[in-house]
Amino acid sequence: MRLTARRPEHGVELPITPLIDVVFLLLIFFLVTASFSTPQDQLSAGLISEDGGSGRVDLLPQIVLVSADADGAPSYTIGSRTVGDEAALREILERLPKEPGVILRVSNSAGIKHVAAGMQAAFDAGFTRRSYVAGR
């Protein structure tokens, strides 16, 4: 009995079934993970026009600058108005739109109790979106 390896006449034969399985799985993976979103040139702008001429522009958050003077008294500045206590700040914030939120930008001179009072005033005024930015 002669033991010799038989070789195919035309080279190595690879089974094609596993290759088709891999390609099929990759195709399914890319179809499942693809996000079908609207192209950016078809997205609506921030300016919404309901009656043709007038529209609504998305507003930016209100920015409150929180600082303290040399004596340690708090100072809250929003726009061109500066107030020195939480109640006056709350009165100003109550008149502003609530959707964009409020940002408290805190200087290095302000203490944590001034920041907490400003956050509480924003909460009491009805702001649900409040942010804190440290160091100025």
Side-chain angles (χ1 to χ4, degrees):
M1 178 182 224
R2 216 170 147 187
L3 296 173
T4 60
R6 297 175 72 183
R7 296 185 182 176
E9 296 176 12
H10 300 290
V12 178
E13 293 182 18
L14 292 175
I16 194 133
T17 305
L19 178 65
I20 292 173
D21 290 344
V22 169
V23 170
F24 182 67
L25 288 174
L26 285 174
L27 179 65
I28 290 175
F29 172 77
F30 288 122
L31 285 175
V32 169
T33 60
S35 63
F36 299 103
S37 61
T38 306
Q40 290 186 3
D41 62 342
Q42 296 177 3
L43 292 175
S44 62
L47 184 64
I48 299 171
S49 177
E50 295 177 358
D51 58 352
S54 63
R56 176 184 64 85
V57 178
D58 293 334
L59 300 174
L60 296 175
Q62 305 297 327
I63 298 176
V64 178
L65 302 174
V66 181
S67 60
D69 60 7
D71 297 333
S75 171
Y76 302 101
T77 305
I78 181 164
S80 62
R81 299 189 64 182
T82 301
V83 294
D85 62 341
E86 179 185 351
L89 176 63
R90 184 177 53 247
E91 289 177 16
I92 294 172
L93 291 176
E94 284 175 348
R95 291 186 238 135
L96 299 174
K98 309 298 188 277
E99 298 86 27
V102 66
I103 297 174
L104 271 73
R105 182 173 290 163
V106 182
S107 71
N108 293 333
S109 63
I112 190 69
K113 62 182 177 180
H114 306 312
V115 178
M119 284 288 194
Q120 186 64 43
F123 178 78
D124 293 342
F127 283 90
T128 57
R129 295 172 55 186
R130 299 174 304 277
S131 298
Y132 165 81
V133 179
R136 180 179 155 253

